[in-house]
Amino acid sequence: MTITENKPSKIIGTRLLRREDPPLLTGEAKFTNDLNIPGALHLSVLRSPYAHAKIKSIDVSAALKIAGVVAVYTGKDLQTSWAAPMPCAWAVTTDMKNPAHYPLAIDKVCYVGDGVAAVLATNETASRDALDAIDVQYEPLKAVVDLEDSLSDKNVIHSDLGTNKSYTWPLLVEETPGCVEQAFKKAKYKIKERYVQQRLIPMAMEPRAIVAVPQPFGGDITLYSSTQIPHILKVMSAITLGIPEHQVRVVAPSVGGGFGSKLNVYAEELLCMALARKHNAPVRWVEERSENSQATIQGRGQIQHVELAADENGKITAVRVRIIGDMGAYLQLVTPGVPILGAFLYAGVYDIPKAYDFSCTSVFTNLTPTDAYRGAGRPEATYAIEMGIEALAREMKIDSFELRKRNYIKKEQFPYTAFSGLTYDSGDHLLAAEKAAKMTDLAGVRAQQKKQNVAGATKLLGVGMSSYFEMCGLAPSRVLASLNYSAGGWESATVRVLPTNKVQVITGTSPHGQGHETSWAMIAAEKLGVAPEDVDVLHSDTAISPLGLDTYGSRSLAVGGIAIALACDKVIEKAKLIAAHQLECASEDLQFENGTFSVKGSPDRALPLAAIAFGAFTAHNLPDGCEPNLEAQVSYDPPNFSWPFGTHMCVVEVDTETGAVEILKYIAVDDCGNQINPLIVEGQVHGGVVQGIAQALFEEAVYDMDGNLKTTTLAEYLVPAACDVPAITTAHTVTPSPTNQLGVKGIGEAGTIGAAPTVITAIIDALSSLGVKTMAMPASPQTVWKTINEATSGGKQ
Amino acid sequence: MIPAAFDYKRASSAAEAISLVSEFGSDAKFLAGGHSLLPLMKLRLAQPSMLIDIGRVKDLSYIKDVGDHIAIGALTRHMDVETSKVLLEHAPLLSHAAGHVGDAQVRHRGTIGGSIAHADPASDLPATTLALGATYVVQGPKGKREIAAANFYKGFLESDLAADEMLIEIRVPKMQGAGWSFQKFNRRAQDWAIVGVAAWRRKGEAGVALVNMGSTPILATSVSNAIAKGASISDAAAMASNEADPQNDLNASTVYRKHLASVLVRRALEAASK
């Protein structure tokens, strides 16, 4: 498929202010916990203080005596409430081990934060007080915290599985059998590196919140939840509770961020629903921040072993990767799939032969379950290959940008069939990288570096870069099938032109900060020739938008946005038949411009869409066989992923006395194809870059040896604020995707993917004269200081 | 984030506040700006049964020039300390340090008296007033008494204040044109210092206090003594941790903290000597 028409856009590409912002900024927007539901009971969950322990006994009698407490349930009490364990939708291998996981632990807890008992009370204070009054006797067991320790199976967490290993997922692509090994034998240069992707806490600004409201009769139930996935949640909660799917309605009110953490089916959602049905009363729950740190999924959590082989020119000849993935205590919705989403990207943006040997072994630990977090597998992969390129450049004693240039997939090679068989739709890596270098004044910075980084200097300058691909726009359903994912990757849209020429767009995407209402209105307005303010965008309510696969993986525009464009095309096609009938001409003779059909060559013979919309409604004068009303529904399955790309560069100054890192300049050149709204694109890049910088410099979920989280509040878990990050300069190249009619790609995760390696490579560059070759994340001042000391003293301190 | 149940009384004068706290005993807590106490209560790490709100006590928010020192009412907000013309002229180190407390919202609610009475070694103002040789005035059932800052801090979140006493005034000697520097080292602008240094210097005299280098704010007397004896700044700074006993935490080991203290004391004295 190619881009059908290249008409100049009037609306698409403009910096329209977000229609979402006034209600958000004035407090008018309603989040789940703002919903006033009379008669609701409040749920509180007692959580395990042990990472690994047997539950010996639970005494709830004192809690039941507290005024306002209605009921207290243990895991055993609710055992018969579940028709199935909590869902994992991604069995990545047929022999994957998946422990049964219920909303409340039954006889054993497996992480600090695991639910042990549920309190229902008439008010929040009573339910919170009751938690302190429940007496649980535990028999603590040895906690498995370390990934390599877990792999040894010295302490098995889920004894029925017999092992801590969940799965091993290999991706071996060889032109000829054994060619990877041969490439490493023949290689003029090779590197072997180990990187750790620390666990991150997604920390959406709005913690999770839920209200389950049973209908007064008939057994229907409405679940309001701060979720990214109302549609998936509807199916999965119906299955888990054993309720007919059509009796469940899920609504996501305003949602204050997710970053993947709300791409899940959580214990508390199921508890609220089960208890609302049991008590025939609404049940609500809102998460405390320190609960959010422990009971909402965490991201990353990998150990990566990366090897590159290269010939005498530095051309990469083989890639070998071994990953240990940290699943945490249980498999949540897509936990096992996260490393697999990165599996195809360990060659990054580079042209390599079919000599790729990837394998990921994922293990259970007594820690909070991991799952998708902004980028999900792809930031990890990009970090590994970009750090690997830097290591290879050091090995070859050449400039790493020069090494990248020798390996980039060239513009003329697109569409490019990769070693994996995936097709990269379009790209121009060199163009983006050179633009970034120019904006950074790379030559000038290098000259300054020579002057500044002299012996004895304590403020050292460094430049870092990373070039990335973001495999996104999840996803062609057939590809998902080949990866054993239990759903498709299509998206649905309905476009309806009302009798007064106002337009309703109903989307299956579920925005939680991305500005879909603005962007989708722009697409429909451009296509139909109406004003954006005349387009209403409806979403995030399964009663209004029954079909959809929700928002994650930078899929919403590249899949959901295209579905809207296609539905608009269908509407226009039908309107054209009506116009031809009323203008008494052949529909081929009509053109549609600025919202008006006119006969080619006779512009006075014309009918505006408004007239046709009204005519379709009255149905007084329609062609034979034409149904009344102007409405079309489309389910669009993308033919390919979309492949945004770009290069980020930054300049840092490292204070070698304290280890403090200051980012002096950050340049992000991203290419997401055509942009619907550049303002929103910039916002996505800014937010993404800050989250990547956060991984590089600030954030880490720190656990002690007993599996206790030490960073439960925002005082210890260092989410950077605006004053802690540099000004970010964004720029773009525009390489439209040839696989969809708008030429668009995703942008939601690009910043996060590009930023972490950019910052870390800059720090290493600054400290290279001191012999520093590695830097753990987060590069806190103490970590930087220690690394300098180790390098300069030639050993560990 | 729901505190345990508590009762609440509002005092309209210092005398009323003291009489209330005498009545309710050690389970009562004063509430001023609430920026130390309320987070602890929300986490249920503090569960006072009675809060005595002194936020509307009149006449405790002031900054006055009283000759050789500046008198600051205990309920003066950080923002007022930061921007006071009197303090900017006579105790600029204190104004500057107040500008580093938390973020703008915190500085508009939090009070200098609350910060000092809480006696958190990681807070900026206890160490800064210590470096400046401040005197604290407290009032109890038997009347007022003065406590030198150097004798006030007794342990982690512990001070010389009795349960029925209230801090009412902070007296800061005029700096008489001394050079000064406040070094706050942290990972995010709004955080507590990993290590902080408040320092002033006037010819052969210097005062240096350390933030977050032990269970109390620390007066680095070895450094001041060394400067008085004519030691170089870097030699004096090497003694930065002589009086300190820093802890290990997520941000810094003991060794790293001591190293940071030397670097920051050196930088502070260099800046104060310019």
Side-chain angles (χ1 to χ4, degrees), chain A residues 215-283:
Chain A
Q215 299 309 303
F217 54 86
D220 287 8
I221 186 163
T222 300
L223 176 69
Y224 298 91
S225 181
S226 174
T227 183
Q228 297 175 226
I229 53 161
H231 298 92
I232 296 172
L233 183 54
K234 183 187 74 158
V235 182
M236 291 299 184
S237 62
I239 292 171
T240 311
L241 287 157
I243 310 173
E245 184 191 343
H246 61 270
Q247 291 200 291
V248 178
R249 173 186 174 197
V250 178
V251 183
S254 286
V255 176
F259 313 113
S261 73
K262 294 172 182 169
L263 191 196
N264 230 304
V265 177
Y266 280 107
E268 295 81 6
E269 288 164 328
L270 301 166
L271 284 169
C272 282
M273 289 175 84
L275 297 178
R277 281 160 59 82
K278 213 181 242 306
H279 288 259
N280 203 25
V283 172

Side-chain angles (χ1 to χ4, degrees), chain A residues 374-375 378 468 470-473 514 516 519 552-558 642-646 648 668-689 730-733 744-754:
Chain A
R374 203 169 190 174
R378 291 151 292 165
Y468 74 90
E470 178 192 353
M471 173 183 136
C472 75
Q514 294 86 349
H516 291 180
S519 300
Y552 43 84
S554 305
R555 69 187 303 273
S556 295
L557 174 59
S642 88
W643 299 84
F645 63 93
H648 290 197
V669 177
D670 297 286
D671 191 324
C672 57
N674 292 331
Q675 300 182 5
I676 303 300
N677 185 333
L679 197 64
I680 289 178
V681 170
E682 278 166 26
Q684 284 282 17
V685 173
H686 285 170
V689 165
T730 59
H732 301 278
T733 57
V744 295
K745 304 181 175 187
I747 191 66
E749 296 159 298
T752 323
I753 293 171

Side-chain angles (χ1 to χ4, degrees), chain A residues 343-685:
Chain A
F344 303 89
L345 288 178
Y346 281 83
V349 295
Y350 307 112
D351 180 29
I352 66 152
K354 284 188 178 172
Y356 190 88
D357 178 7
F358 171 95
S359 173
C360 173
T361 296
S362 287
V363 297
F364 296 106
T365 54
N366 287 117
L367 305 175
T368 295
T370 60
D371 207 313
Y373 172 59
R374 203 169 190 174
R378 291 151 292 165
E380 296 92 316
T382 304
Y383 183 86
I385 179 64
E386 289 304 284
M387 290 286 285
I389 284 280
E390 294 284 331
L392 185 59
R394 276 196 299 277
E395 182 71 22
M396 295 175 65
K397 299 186 170 59
I398 65 167
D399 178 67
S400 65
F401 189 14
E402 170 58 28
L403 181 60
R404 284 182 175 86
K405 286 180 190 169
R406 293 181 194 177
N407 283 284
Y408 282 142
I409 299 166
K410 291 180 179 58
K411 182 188 175 186
E412 55 275 16
Q413 289 175 279
F414 288 95
Y416 173 87
T417 303
F419 65 91
S420 56
L422 290 169
T423 302
Y424 303 163
D425 54 359
S426 61
D428 190 344
H429 301 297
L430 186 60
L431 182 71
E434 285 184 330
K435 186 164 182 174
K438 193 172 170 199
M439 292 174 66
T440 306
D441 182 22
L442 186 59
V445 176
R446 288 287 182 214
Q448 172 65 23
Q449 203 175 14
K450 276 207 181 100
K451 268 190 246 164
Q452 190 172 330
N453 295 7
V454 293
T458 58
K459 296 279 179 72
L460 300 181
L461 206 59
V463 192
M465 77 181 287
S466 81
S467 297
Y468 74 90
F469 245 143
E470 178 192 353
M471 173 183 136
C472 75
L474 301 174
S477 298
R478 284 181 187 176
V479 177
L480 291 178
S482 72
L483 295 173
N484 263 356
Y485 185 61
S486 20
W490 49 265
E491 194 45 84
S492 163
T494 298
V495 171
R496 186 181 293 144
V497 187
L498 301 175
T500 55
N501 206 33
K502 305 294 179 194
V503 178
Q504 284 182 321
V505 169
I506 298 157
T507 176
T509 68
S510 192
H512 41 284
Q514 294 86 349
H516 291 180
E517 291 178 18
T518 303
S519 300
W520 294 181
M522 290 170 77
I523 292 172
E526 178 83 39
K527 295 287 288 189
L528 299 173
V530 299
E533 52 270 28
D534 285 338
V535 182
D536 192 22
V537 179
L538 304 173
H539 57 83
S540 305
D541 178 343
T542 59
I544 292 171
S545 157
L547 297 174
L549 285 171
D550 308 314
T551 286
Y552 43 84
S554 305
R555 69 187 303 273
S556 295
L557 174 59
V559 191
I562 302 305
I564 292 163
L566 291 168
C568 288
D569 287 342
K570 270 180 135 176
V571 163
I572 293 165
E573 206 178 310
K574 179 172 179 181
K576 201 176 204 178
L577 290 177
I578 300 170
H581 172 73
Q582 297 190 354
L583 290 167
E584 296 176 345
C585 67
S587 68
E588 307 85 73
D589 294 338
L590 286 176
Q591 58 185 13
F592 182 60
E593 260 178 11
N594 301 325
T596 297
F597 290 96
S598 60
V599 178
K600 290 173 194 161
S602 319
D604 50 328
R605 286 179 68 201
L607 269 179
L609 185 65
I612 296 166
F614 193 71
F617 164 70
T618 62
H620 293 173
N621 182 19
L622 297 180
D624 288 345
C626 178
E627 290 178 15
N629 292 318
L630 215 45
E631 171 183 277
Q633 191 267 336
V634 163
S635 287
Y636 169 69
D637 199 353
N640 191 359
F641 294 93
S642 88
W643 299 84
F645 63 93
T647 289
H648 290 197
M649 284 193 179
C650 79
V651 181
V652 300
E653 192 172 77
V654 183
D655 180 338
T656 59
E657 288 187 302
T658 62
V661 174
E662 190 186 355
I663 301 175
L664 303 178
K665 198 189 272 189
Y666 195 101
I667 309 290
V669 177
D670 297 286
D671 191 324
C672 57
N674 292 331
Q675 300 182 5
I676 303 300
N677 185 333
L679 197 64
I680 289 178
V681 170
E682 278 166 26
Q684 284 282 17
V685 173

